[in-house]
Amino acid sequence: MSDTMPEVKIVIRDDASLRVDGGIPLFDHEGNEIPTPDGRPYSLCRCGQSERKPFCDGSHKTCDWDSTLAPTS
Ligand code: FES
């Protein structure tokens, strides 16, 4: 990794959200930018139960959902 480039990554958290790190901008389906915490990591819901979509609000902790990833090959 370059000294001038921040580490950019998306982590699929076990039984939880997608953790986005590195100042990645977020856009809706029409191309409108969705405000994110300036330069700080944020979490995107993947359980579908958040009241703050697309962001995680912790609802994944109380709903019954399967976070198993599809096999890759
Ligand atoms: S993943 Fe956290 S509320 Fe959906």
Side-chain angles (χ1 to χ4, degrees):
M1 186 169 66
S2 165
D3 289 340
T4 59
M5 293 288 292
E7 183 178 15
V8 174
K9 62 183 176 182
I10 300 173
V11 177
I12 304 169
R13 300 169 74 202
D14 191 31
D15 291 330
S17 58
L18 301 173
R19 186 73 165 172
V20 181
D21 198 357
I24 301 172
L26 183 64
F27 297 89
D28 69 14
H29 65 286
E30 295 178 333
N32 302 304
E33 187 164 3
I34 298 172
T36 58
D38 195 25
R40 290 182 288 126
Y42 55 91
S43 297
L44 297 176
C45 176
R46 68 184 184 107
C47 75
Q49 300 302 311
S50 176
E51 297 289 327
R52 296 181 49 239
K53 291 183 188 95
F55 301 103
C56 170
D57 70 355
S59 294
H60 60 267
K61 297 175 188 170
T62 57
C63 68
D64 184 26
W65 68 296
D66 183 2
S67 68
T68 305
L69 300 178
T72 58
S73 57

